[in-house]
Amino acid sequence: QIAYMMTSSAMLFKKGKYDAALPPLKTAYTRIKQYTNLDFNPEKVAKADLKWWIARRTPARKNPEIIGLAIAHLYELIYGYRHQGFTRAGLLRAKAMHLRDMGKTKADWKQIEKLLLQSYKALQYGFEKRRLPN
């Protein structure tokens, strides 16, 4: 159900129906919250997610650094705290997307994979460091 709602949102977004993309995204995050022990506001998270999607389509905001910080903010809302790992993860993910966008069908997929793996490791680092006892 979560994947279906995320996909529905993405398809509506792809058609330029930004307002219509928000409700299924919110539903997906509501379900994610139900199935995890995370305490976040599904509506705020959905809006933050949609915000970086829109930024990628806005020429003045399409900069990977702007997108990366927006993705980092999404992670902060989901996990409930700030961490440098989240910032690094967001920036690396945005760089991977930018590299793919610039390369189109001739994108450097090995480099994209490398950036995404680094991004996921940074996200995991940020998450695990918070979970360590003080």
Side-chain angles (χ1 to χ4, degrees), residues 1-2 7 10 12 14 21 24 37 47 56-57 60 67 79 82 106 108 110 118 127 129 134:
Q1 288 178 336
I2 292 168
T7 302
L12 289 164
K14 184 178 179 181
N37 62 352
K47 285 180 178 178
R56 283 196 71 220
R57 285 207 173 168
I67 306 293
Y79 296 111
R82 287 186 177 166
K106 296 181 182 183
D108 183 348
K110 287 187 181 205
Q118 290 173 349
F127 179 71
K129 290 301 174 187
N134 292 334

Side-chain angles (χ1 to χ4, degrees), residues 1-126:
Q1 288 178 336
I2 292 168
Y4 177 79
M5 297 312 290
M6 290 281 202
T7 302
S8 296
S9 181
M11 293 299 103
L12 289 164
F13 179 82
K14 184 178 179 181
K15 294 176 183 177
K17 299 178 180 181
Y18 300 168
D19 291 337
L22 186 59
L25 200 54
K26 180 183 171 189
T27 300
Y29 280 113
T30 299
R31 297 253 166 82
I32 290 169
K33 183 177 178 178
Q34 290 170 347
Y35 294 115
T36 66
N37 62 352
L38 298 171
D39 184 26
F40 61 82
N41 180 315
E43 185 169 1
K44 283 185 181 179
V45 170
K47 285 180 178 178
D49 207 352
L50 191 59
K51 184 177 180 178
W52 78 257
W53 293 7
I54 292 169
R56 283 196 71 220
R57 285 207 173 168
T58 307
R61 298 186 47 91
K62 202 170 180 175
N63 179 312
E65 299 224 355
I66 293 171
I67 306 293
L69 292 175
I71 294 170
H73 179 67
L74 170 68
Y75 296 151
E76 292 167 4
L77 289 175
I78 291 171
Y79 296 111
Y81 59 94
R82 287 186 177 166
H83 192 279
Q84 65 198 23
F86 296 160
T87 303
R88 180 164 166 68
L91 292 171
L92 288 165
R93 185 173 170 193
K95 286 179 182 178
M97 286 185 278
H98 181 72
L99 189 59
R100 187 260 185 244
D101 290 347
M102 294 297 100
K104 300 192 186 212
T105 59
K106 296 181 182 183
D108 183 348
W109 289 105
K110 287 187 181 205
Q111 182 62 22
I112 293 167
E113 178 183 29
K114 181 180 174 183
L115 289 168
L116 288 173
L117 287 172
Q118 290 173 349
S119 173
Y120 299 140
K121 286 178 184 177
L123 180 61
Q124 180 180 10
Y125 175 77

